[in-house]
Amino acid sequence: IRNVRANATRVPRFGLFELTLELPDRYVNPFQTNEVRLIAEVIGPDGRTNSVPGFYAQEYVRSLHSTLETITPQGTPGWRVRFSPRALGSYRYTLRVRDPHGEATWGPAEFTAVPSASHGFVRVSKADSRFFEFEDGTFFHPLGHNIRSPSDARYQMHFPLAPRMPEGSAIY
């Protein structure tokens, strides 16, 4: 386990704490957990341990050119661990990776969760299960698009002569 980098040492409560790191480049399929498995053991201020799985990731840039969408890899792929602290205070974490060659550990290290304006994660309301609320009990009203598919056949019924070009994921 090499070159472990944290995005911050002070993270807002409910914010993103992210680690990036390097592992040996010896895995045919880094997405297969029986070939390689990365776990972060995160101990919160209350003493509880969270086992957070790591993952292999590649950044991409999407661009549209007329009716063609291209997705281009950016940078080098690598390993990441993401965690969102739910309580204020000090967190300690250790990394563990297991593969057919054995097991390696890294750490411990620390970060601190500091106050934030976030209301927390969304959940079903404790008062009325027909509604949603944030962790602090604040009402959550979901607003957004209701998209059933990228190609809506109703468009062809109403505008049969209008050509539709494939737009990739940008159609959303």
Side-chain angles (χ1 to χ4, degrees):
I1 301 173
R2 299 182 309 258
N3 205 12
V4 178
R5 298 173 308 280
N7 66 331
T9 57
R10 295 173 59 79
V11 178
R13 181 178 180 214
F14 303 115
L16 174 65
F17 175 71
E18 182 177 63
L19 296 170
T20 57
L21 58 122
E22 296 172 9
L23 294 177
D25 188 18
R26 62 183 175 208
Y27 308 113
V28 175
N29 185 355
F31 304 104
Q32 187 62 262
T33 57
N34 62 356
E35 189 170 338
V36 58
R37 186 169 179 85
L38 171 65
I39 298 288
E41 299 290 339
V42 182
I43 302 171
D46 60 358
R48 283 195 225 171
T49 300
N50 295 283
S51 291
V52 182
F55 58 95
Y56 190 71
Q58 168 71 61
E59 298 292 330
Y60 288 87
V61 170
R62 184 181 70 189
S63 56
L64 278 176
H65 307 283
S66 183
T67 61
L68 178 66
E69 177 183 44
T70 59
I71 300 174
T72 309
Q74 298 294 302
T76 306
W79 293 88
R80 295 189 179 44
V81 174
R82 292 182 180 154
F83 179 77
S84 184
R86 297 173 84 142
L88 299 174
S90 180
Y91 288 78
R92 291 175 49 94
Y93 60 93
T94 304
L95 299 174
R96 186 177 75 242
V97 64
R98 181 178 296 145
D99 67 14
H101 302 280
E103 185 172 311
T105 58
W106 180 95
E110 293 185 6
F111 72 93
T112 303
V114 297
S116 75
S118 175
H119 295 290
F121 299 108
V122 175
R123 64 179 182 202
V124 174
S125 172
K126 288 182 178 177
D128 189 335
S129 63
R130 297 175 300 160
F131 300 102
F132 293 106
E133 67 186 13
F134 290 99
E135 274 194 32
D136 68 358
T138 305
F139 179 74
F140 173 76
H141 183 77
L143 294 175
H145 299 286
N146 185 2
I147 302 173
R148 69 167 184 83
S149 67
S151 57
D152 194 337
R154 294 173 295 181
Y155 183 87
Q156 288 300 116
M157 288 188 312
H158 298 294
F159 305 100
L161 302 177
R164 294 273 303 186
M165 300 296 190
E167 299 178 46
S169 62
I171 195 168
Y172 286 106

